[in-house]
């Protein structure tokens, strides 16, 4: 081939490359085809390096070709330059392409050798849990803070005065029977409900309005079996303002129940009695287990009792300094254990206080 | 309170089944706790009479009875019962019948066929409390003369249902079934039947009734019956009592019980001839007075207990129990009936103190109207005549010093609707009052309402509002949302803090527990505390000794729970509790302080990636992370030595602003031993009182110049702690050290005894400019010199 080129240039007349370029191109085409197939045949990086040297090395084909650049006329130079450039880049591109693909394959192989077992468990991954009672408490607090209630807290050890008398339960009132009370002394009790917070907060706020609070906390009663614990948790709600109605109470409770248990659930209010509210209502939620067809969970009634509520009794407002003719309010108290048991399907209250980690980790 | 449907339905003309009544009562606020059909415990049991008895030839204890059940042929039944005799009327379970315990089949007993079974009370499902001692032994004896072959369900009127009402304290009137019937009428257009009574005239003389304590007895009514014939009540009467759970005794006692269940008014019957002096005196007892009640027990009375006396002696403990000395017995000829209104609180105290609680005392405790006392007496007198129990005297005796005050309550329709958020029309409200038998007068816009006398709970306007909405129906209340002004009560930081701490700790992989606020005072000692439970925190009436003190510490509760889990083979134990602990004070209330407790078990395990375990520093790391997440506090740790709760070499006080806010450390092995935990445990308690809302963080500008890291390894006395070393480094660094990391601590013979090698990586940075190597070296050397001079360090 070199021979043919040499001959071609020897015969080439000055300034005539333009018309003869196809001859040169044809000569080079053969060479190019040979080169390409040689490159394609190269199986290793080393083989490709040899081919590279053969064409582009100091003693390679291209430097040979470049020599003719000095020998042609100025007019022919750019024509020859372009022909050589085309020839060169075709081979060079092919060569690089092949080299890169070898490189990639090599990298790929290296990474594949570093494969790990992605199904092994993560390291140091201890997962913590809040107590289910906390989860329910936080959920209920959120429902009420979203509609403008403030979370407040009361005392767990409370004066008889606030736990009973301020709630319209004087000494010797039969309603004291409803709650068996733990006493520290004659005047101090373990609060039997979160309701004393009502009196405490109204004392603090009066005469300001509105009073909108939600008060979670521990309460204590002398009872211990599978449905009662001597310590349990309640959330008290209280709203006092002008023009608060019994219908408002129903609306708020409906909102509460739907938020906790789901939009499809219904509530039922039943007349009841608490000394510190009147009218009073026990509130039932429709049984979600049987869709009110009757089952063991709801005692075949279709309803589950969840909270007590009512309109704040005029005497309770009065004792706090509010005029019951100007101001009204509602209050409710709900057992957090009861809600947790219904919501999570827990059948024994004692599980909530046993603190078995196998139980706690389910929440 | 048990209500028999058959009993209840006597009082109105309509028909309702048990479930309809349950629905109505529930809607009205009388909670039905249970509803029971009485005819389900047996079937196909009939009245039989024993015609003959013969010993079983092959069994000493068996007898062959020939029973007449009203058929042409007698039934042969073999029984093992010993209380049978010829002529006895007995319950006979026929072949194919069902009794408690199973079905009766034809059988052979020692070779002889038996076509049925004679039944005991228990086999018929009759509660033992309803049977006399005689009825409890063996086969239940039936009254003679019953129709043979008659179904026992009919004999005992057991085609009945019983509702168990859970009555609220305000509705004590419904301890009388007649008043329950009045409730039914509120929701049904039935006509309430008037009770038949036998009225009398007020006697001028004959018996003087003196009430010495008018506060404790507002009214006392008495009436005399002559020529009394004490005998069993007729079956229909006894059956009604039995169906509400009262054991029939004799006609006179049964009448007092009947009236009590009908109207709610307890009554008492004295043997008139045992009373002396022609007087009834209501008076309080002398302190220490001894009195024998009719159960034969002698009781020591206290001075505020109310007594009924005759002219000579005490004859009854008012409202609680009669006296043995005036008891009605089979020889009684004349009776004095009592129907009185006693003070509820007094009766409650007396019955509580003496441990004597009965249907009667329970009714007095809940409060009765004065009005009902005479009505009940008149009703009882009617029943005496009806049952032919004796001759009722024409006149009655009475003292009524404190008259019942029935208020007239002013209300407006507007006000009722304003409270309810409803729009009930005036006519509807008046109609409700009418149904309730409340008198209504209309005066301008006001309604003047006078409640029915038995409704002593209705005193003020709000009580009327409740009555209106109760009868109108809670299901008809609309659900609205309140409209109002904006709430300005600020939430206390403590509330947010609790939520935050729980969230962070759960995120760090710990589990929250909730333990009881009362603990066993012995647990303080078990936990190594030197105190033993503050008496000011002792519960007067605990359920048990181990729940009798309000906790002063969280550890006893937490470690108990850790131990319980440990015993269940649990080793990965990382738990926390946020709760209140108490401190006795001389004020009225104890202090309540919020605390956090965290327990970690060492739990050394081999994981696939290597060994892991918890130690002091794991817990300290958690604490530092938490404190930096919830506050801007800088903590200082000072080694503790004098504690028996924590390991003396591995525990510290947690200090912030020079104040001890908690403790942290490895739990003392003795304490772990007390709780059967056989590996290391770590505990921290943190007082949350000092955690106040942190100041808003202010940004400080970022360093513009690069930092340089240099390592430093020194040999130091072994007992020198890191805090002191760091103190020297920091003081001698001219504020150019911005970071200090310990990357190696080494002890060993290579470097000598009583020393340790500590290697630090120090990061130098000047906020003003790029530090040169020389500048860094100068400070670095200075640090080394200071360590050497002050702490006896040498370079490694």
């Amino acid at each position: 081939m070199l021979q043919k080129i040499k001959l071609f240039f020897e015969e080439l007349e000055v300034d005539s490359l333009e018309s003869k370029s196809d001859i040169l191109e044809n000569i080079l085409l053969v060479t190019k085809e040979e080169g390409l197939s040689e490159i394609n045949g190269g199986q290793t990086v080393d083989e490709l390096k040899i081919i590279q040297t053969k064409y582009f090395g100091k003693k390679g084909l291209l430097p040979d070709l470049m020599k003719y650049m000095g020998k042609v006329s100025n007019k022919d130079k750019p024509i020859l330059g372009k022909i050589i450039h085309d020839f060169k880049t075709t081979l060079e591109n092919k060569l690089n392409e092949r080299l890169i693909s070898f490189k990639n394959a090599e990298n790929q192989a290296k990474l594949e050798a570093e494969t790990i077992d992605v199904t092994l468990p993560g390291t140091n991954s201890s997962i913590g849990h809040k107590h289910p009672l906390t989860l329910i408490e936080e959920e209920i607090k959120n429902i009420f803070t979203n509609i403008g209630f403030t979370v407040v807290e009361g005392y767990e050890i409370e004066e008889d005065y606030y736990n009973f008398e301020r709630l319209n339960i004087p000494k010797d009132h039969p309603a004291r029977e409803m709650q068996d009370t733990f006493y520290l002394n004659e005047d101090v009790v373990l609060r039997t409900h979160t309701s004393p917070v009502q009196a405490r907060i109204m004392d603090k706020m009066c005469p300001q309005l509105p009073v909108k609070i939600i008060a979670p906390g521990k309460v204590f009663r002398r009872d211990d079996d599978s449905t009662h614990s001597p310590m349990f948790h309640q959330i008290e709600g209280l709203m006092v303002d002008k023009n608060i109605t019994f219908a408002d109470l129903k609306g708020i409770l409906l909102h509460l129940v739907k938020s906790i248990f789901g939009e499809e659930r219904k509530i039922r209010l039943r007349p009841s009695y608490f000394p510190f509210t009147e009218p009073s209502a026990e509130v039932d939620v429709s049984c979600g287990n049987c869709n009110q067809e009757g089952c063991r969970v709801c005692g075949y009634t279709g309803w589950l009792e969840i909270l007590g509520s009512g309109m704040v009794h005029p005497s309770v407002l009065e004792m706090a300094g509010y005029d019951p003719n100007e101001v009204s309010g509602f209050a409710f108290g709900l057992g957090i254990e009861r809600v947790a048991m219904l919501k999570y399907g827990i059948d024994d209250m004692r599980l909530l206080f046993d603190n078995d980690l196998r139980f706690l980790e389910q929440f | 309170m048990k209500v028999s449907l058959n009993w209840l339905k006597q009082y109105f003309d309509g028909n309702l089944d048990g479930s309809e009544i349950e629905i109505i009562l529930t809607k009205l606020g009388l909670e039905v706790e249970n509803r029971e059909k009485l005819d389900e415990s047996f079937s196909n049991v009939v009245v039989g009479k024993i015609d003959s008895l013969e010993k079983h030839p092959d069994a000493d204890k068996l007898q062959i009875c020939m029973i007449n059940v009203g058929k042409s042929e007698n039934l042969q039944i073999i029984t093992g019962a010993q209380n049978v005799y010829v002529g006895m009327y007995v319950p006979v379970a026929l072949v194919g019948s069902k009794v408690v315990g199973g079905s009766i089949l034809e059988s052979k007993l020692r070779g002889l066929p038996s076509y049925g079974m004679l039944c005991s009370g228990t086999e018929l499902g009759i509660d033992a409390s309803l049977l006399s001692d005689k009825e409890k032994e063996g086969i239940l004896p039936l009254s003679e003369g019953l129709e043979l072959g008659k179904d026992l369900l009919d004999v005992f009127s057991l085609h009945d249902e019983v509702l168990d009402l859970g009555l609220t304290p305000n509705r004590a009137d419904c301890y009388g079934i007649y008043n329950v019937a009045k409730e039914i009428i509120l929701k049904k257009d039935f006509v309430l039947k008037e009770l038949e009574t036998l009225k009398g005239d007020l006697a001028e003389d004959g018996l003087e009734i003196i009430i010495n304590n008018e506060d404790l007895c507002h009214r006392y009514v008495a009436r005399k019956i002559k020529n009394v014939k004490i005998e069993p009540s007729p079956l229909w009467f006894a059956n009604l009592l039995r169906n509400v759970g009262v054991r029939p005794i004799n006609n006179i006692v049964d009448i007092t019980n009947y009236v009590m269940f009908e109207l709610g008014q307890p009554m008492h019957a004295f043997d008139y001839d045992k009373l002396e002096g022609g007087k009834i005196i209501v008076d309080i007892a002398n302190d220490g007075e001894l009195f024998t009640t009719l159960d034969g027990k002698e009781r020591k009375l206290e001075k505020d207990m109310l007594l009924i006396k005759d002219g000579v002696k005490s004859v009854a403990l008012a409202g609680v129990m009669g006296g043995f000395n005036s008891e009605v017995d089979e020889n009684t000829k004349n009776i004095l009936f009592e129907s009185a209104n006693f003070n509820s609180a007094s009766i409650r105290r007396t019955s509580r103190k003496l441990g004597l609680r009965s249907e009667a005392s329970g009714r007095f405790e809940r409060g009765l109207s004065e009005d009902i006392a005479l009505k009940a007496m008149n009703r009882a007198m009617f029943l005496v005549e009806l049952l032919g129990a004796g001759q009722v005297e024409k006149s009655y005796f009475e003292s009524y010093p404190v008259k019942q005050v029935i208020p007239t309550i002013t209300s407006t329709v507007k006000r009722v609707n304003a409270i309810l958020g409803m729009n009930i029309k005036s006519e509807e409200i008046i109609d409700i009052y009418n149904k309730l038998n409340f008198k209504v007068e209309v005066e301008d816009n006001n309604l003047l309402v006078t409640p029915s006398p038995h409704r002593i709970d209705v005193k003020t306007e709000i009580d009327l509002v409740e009555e209106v909405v109760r009868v109108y129906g809670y299901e008809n209340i609309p659900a609205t949302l309140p409209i109002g002004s904006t709430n300005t009560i600020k939430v206390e930081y403590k509330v947010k803090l609790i939520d935050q701490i729980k969230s962070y700790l759960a995120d760090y992989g710990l589990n929250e527990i909730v333990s009881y606020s009362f603990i066993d005072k012995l647990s303080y000692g078990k936990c190594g505390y030197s105190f033993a439970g503050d008496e000011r925190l002792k519960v007067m009436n605990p359920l048990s000794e181990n729940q009798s003190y309000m906790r002063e510490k969280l550890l006893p509760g937490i470690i108990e729970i850790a131990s319980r889990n440990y015993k269940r083979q649990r080793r990965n134990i990382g738990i926390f509790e946020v709760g209140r602990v108490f401190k006795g004070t001389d004020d009225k209330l104890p202090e309540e302080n919020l605390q956090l407790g965290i327990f970690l078990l060492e739990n050394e395990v081999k994981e696939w990636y290597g060994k892991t375990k918890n130690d002091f520093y794991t817990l300290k790391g958690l604490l530092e992370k938490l404190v930096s997440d919830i506050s801007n506090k800088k903590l200082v740790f000072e080694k503790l030595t004098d504690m028996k709760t924590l390991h003396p070499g591995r525990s510290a006080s947690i200090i912030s602003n020079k104040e001890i806010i908690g403790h942290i450390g490895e739990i003392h092995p003795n304490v772990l031993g007390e709780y059967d935990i056989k590996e290391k445990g770590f505990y921290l308690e943190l007082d949350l009182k000092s955690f106040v809302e942190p100041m808003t963080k202010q940004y400080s500008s970022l360093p513009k110049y690069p930092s340089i890291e240099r390592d430093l390894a020194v040999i130091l006395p072994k007992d020198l702690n890191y805090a002191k070393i760091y103190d020297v480094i920091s003081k001698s660094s001219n504020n150019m050290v911005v970071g200090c990391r310990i990357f190696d601590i080494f002890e060993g013979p290579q470097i000598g005894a009583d020393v340790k090698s500590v290697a630090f990586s120090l990061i130098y940075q000047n906020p003003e400019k790029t530090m040169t190597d020389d500048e860094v070296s100068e400070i670095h050397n200075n640090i080394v010199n200071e360590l050497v001079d002050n702490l006896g360090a040498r370079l490694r």
Side-chain angles (χ1 to χ4, degrees), chain A residues 66-73 77 80:
Chain A
M66 289 303 286
K67 283 190 281 192
Y68 295 102
M69 283 294 283
K71 292 178 181 167
V72 296
S73 67
K77 256 183 196 153
L80 178 60

Side-chain angles (χ1 to χ4, degrees), chain B residues 278-514:
Chain B
K279 283 180 191 162
I280 286 286
I281 305 166
V282 183
D283 199 359
I284 52 169
N286 296 320
D287 211 6
E289 181 175 346
L290 295 175
F291 180 68
T292 307
T293 42
L294 52 74
D295 54 4
K297 288 192 182 137
E298 186 172 79
R299 302 181 186 267
K300 195 172 177 183
L301 308 183
E302 291 173 30
K303 80 167 186 315
D304 56 348
M305 294 178 174
L306 200 61
L307 278 174
I308 310 300
K309 300 174 177 175
D310 62 13
V312 176
K313 59 185 185 295
S314 300
V315 292
L317 205 46
V320 177
M321 198 181 260
F324 188 69
N325 56 14
S326 58
E327 191 187 10
V328 173
D329 57 39
E330 62 269 32
N331 301 318
T332 298
K333 294 277 178 311
N334 300 300
I335 277 183
L336 187 73
F337 271 100
E338 165 203 284
S339 178
N341 184 284
F342 299 120
N343 176 275
S344 57
S346 163
I347 301 293
R348 180 177 317 117
R349 276 194 299 270
T350 304
S351 68
R352 190 81 35 95
K353 274 186 186 155
L354 297 176
L356 271 173
R357 306 191 73 180
S358 59
E359 290 278 354
S361 69
R363 281 171 173 79
F364 279 120
E365 283 176 25
R366 289 172 175 92
L368 284 164
S369 73
E370 289 83 354
D371 175 72
I372 199 70
L374 183 59
K375 285 183 179 155
M377 180 61 83
N378 293 340
R379 176 65 172 164
M381 296 307 103
F382 171 81
L383 293 171
V384 168
E385 292 219 322
L386 183 72
L387 302 191
Q391 277 172 269
V392 180
E393 290 224 329
K394 271 182 89 100
S395 54
Y396 66 92
F397 308 100
E398 180 183 42
S399 175
Y400 191 2
V402 184
K403 298 275 184 296
Q404 181 173 358
V405 181
I406 302 173
T408 295
I409 306 162
T410 308
S411 175
T412 63
V413 172
K414 196 177 154 206
R415 176 83 178 136
V416 169
N417 280 316
I419 293 167
L420 297 177
M422 297 170 75
N423 233 325
I424 310 176
K425 290 196 197 81
S426 177
E427 309 84 76
E428 286 177 287
I429 290 176
I430 292 171
D431 183 48
I432 287 170
Y433 292 142
N434 287 335
K435 279 184 183 163
L436 284 161
N437 207 17
F438 292 5
K439 289 195 197 89
V440 191
E441 268 178 70
V442 184
E443 197 175 82
D444 302 330
N445 280 327
N446 292 333
L447 297 182
L448 307 183
V449 185
T450 310
S452 158
H454 74 285
R455 293 299 306 276
I456 54 173
D457 60 308
V458 180
K459 289 183 277 233
T460 60
E461 188 181 22
I462 197 71
D463 301 323
L464 291 178
V465 174
E466 183 177 56
E467 287 306 302
V468 168
V469 67
R470 188 173 75 89
V471 178
Y472 191 80
Y474 275 30
E475 67 276 18
N476 299 320
I477 304 166
T480 57
L481 288 174
I483 303 162
S485 37
T486 305
N487 186 18
T488 55
I489 305 174
K490 283 206 189 78
V491 65
E492 265 186 277
Y493 176 64
K494 188 174 70 176
V495 168
K496 289 192 252 176
L497 183 69
I498 296 170
D499 288 353
Q500 277 185 8
I501 289 177
K502 288 178 178 178
S503 294
Y504 282 123
L505 293 178
D507 282 351
Y508 304 164
L510 300 173
N511 287 304
E512 186 194 1
I513 58 159
V514 175

Side-chain angles (χ1 to χ4, degrees), chain B residues 20 99 144 185 247 260 357 389 414 489 524 605 630 745 780:
Chain B
E20 288 169 305
V99 297
E144 289 179 13
I185 305 302
R247 177 161 65 92
M260 176 168 74
R357 306 191 73 180
K414 196 177 154 206
I489 305 174
Y524 291 123
V605 282
I630 60 175
I745 298 174
H780 195 76

Side-chain angles (χ1 to χ4, degrees), chain A residues 139-205:
Chain A
E139 187 176 349
I140 296 171
K141 284 195 294 193
N142 279 337
I143 292 167
F144 281 97
T145 50
N146 282 343
I147 52 173
F149 284 66
T150 304
V151 181
V152 300
E153 294 202 329
Y155 296 109
E156 289 175 15
I157 300 179
E158 185 54 282
E159 293 174 35
D160 182 284
Y161 174 71
Y162 284 102
N163 193 74
F164 291 120
E165 293 184 29
R166 283 295 300 276
L167 295 166
N168 222 10
I169 316 174
K171 293 216 158 63
D172 283 325
H173 192 286
R176 291 212 182 195
E177 295 262 303
M178 294 162 88
Q179 312 174 344
D180 221 338
T181 312
F182 287 114
Y183 284 88
L184 282 199
N185 59 53
E186 212 172 284
D187 300 322
V188 177
V189 302
L190 306 190
R191 66 171 171 192
T192 57
H193 45 193
T194 40
S195 309
V197 177
Q198 289 185 29
R200 295 252 180 207
I201 192 77
M202 283 195 281
D203 281 358
K204 207 167 132 186
M205 290 297 289

Side-chain angles (χ1 to χ4, degrees), chain B residues 45-48 89-93 117-120 124 139-142 152:
Chain B
V45 179
V46 301
V47 178
Y89 279 67
V90 288
V92 180
M117 187 179 85
L118 307 187
C119 303
S120 67
L124 297 175
I139 304 305
L140 180 71
L142 299 179
L152 222 62

